[in-house]
Amino acid sequence: MKKTLATLMVTSIALTGCAPTGEDLGANVYDEGQLNTQQEVKTVKILAITPAKVRVKNTQNKQLAQTAGGILGGVLGAVVGYQYSGAGAGAGAVAGATGGVLASSVVKDTVIVPGVSLTYKQGSHIYSSTQAGRSCEFKKGTALMIISRAKETRIQPNAECPVQK
C-alpha cells in the first residue's frame, strides 16, 4: 500500500515537471506542410550573436499533467477510500481525481527556453532576429536564411555545439 502510494506520487510529480525544451522551435525544424516545398533562400552575414530567452506556451504539458494528475489522483483516492472505509472507494476516487487535477495546475502556462539574438547584414541593411536555439549553433560569418513566409527569418545554424557526454 505504501509502495503504491509512493509510486503514484512520484509519477504525478514527474509528470507535472515536464516542460518544453524549445528544440521544436529552432530555425532548422519544419512542420510537415513545409516539406517538399520551394522556399526562397538568401545568404546573410551574421555580425553578432547574443544569448536570449524565449517565452513559449506550455499548454500541451499543462493538459498532460492535469489529465495524468486526475487519473493518478482518482486511483490513489479509490485505493485510500477502499482501504479505510471499503464503500468509500467511489468518493475517494472523485476526491483524489479533483485533488490530482488541482495539484497538477502548478504547471506554468509559459516557460522560458534558450534562444539567441542574431544581428545580421543583408545587402546594405542590418537586421536582428531572435530565435530559439543555443549560441554555440551559430558563428559570425555567412549563413543561410530560409524565407517561407513574409517577415519570417529562419537563419540556419552555421556551427555545431560540442557533444556533451
Side-chain angles (χ1 to χ4, degrees):
M1 170 65 181
K2 287 183 180 179
K3 193 173 190 178
T4 302
L5 289 174
T7 302
L8 289 172
M9 293 302 287
V10 168
T11 304
S12 180
I13 289 168
L15 284 171
T16 60
C18 295
T21 61
E23 289 179 0
D24 60 327
L25 302 173
N28 57 351
V29 177
Y30 297 90
D31 293 328
E32 189 176 327
Q34 293 173 301
L35 299 177
N36 302 318
T37 61
Q38 183 179 35
Q39 300 175 16
E40 184 180 355
V41 177
K42 295 182 179 184
T43 58
V44 297
K45 183 176 181 181
I46 297 176
L47 304 174
I49 304 148
T50 54
K53 294 178 182 178
V54 181
R55 184 183 330 268
V56 297
K57 292 180 182 178
N58 196 25
T59 307
Q60 186 175 6
N61 285 321
K62 186 168 183 125
Q63 290 170 344
L64 173 66
Q66 287 175 333
T67 301
I71 291 168
L72 291 172
V75 170
L76 180 61
V79 169
V80 171
Y82 182 77
Q83 289 289 328
Y84 290 103
S85 67
V94 171
T98 302
V101 170
L102 290 174
S104 65
S105 68
V106 300
V107 176
K108 296 179 180 179
D109 291 331
T110 60
V111 294
I112 304 294
V113 299
V116 291
S117 182
L118 302 172
T119 302
Y120 63 95
K121 186 173 185 176
Q122 184 180 359
S124 61
H125 299 282
I126 296 178
Y127 300 97
S128 177
S129 176
T130 302
Q131 302 184 164
R134 299 181 297 166
S135 297
C136 61
E137 295 176 300
F138 299 93
K139 64 182 179 182
K140 292 180 181 179
T142 304
L144 292 176
M145 180 172 65
I146 297 176
I147 303 163
S148 54
R149 291 190 294 255
K151 299 286 184 181
E152 180 180 54
T153 57
R154 287 180 166 261
I155 299 175
Q156 301 302 294
N158 63 350
E160 290 187 28
C161 297
V163 177
Q164 295 182 4
K165 296 178 183 179

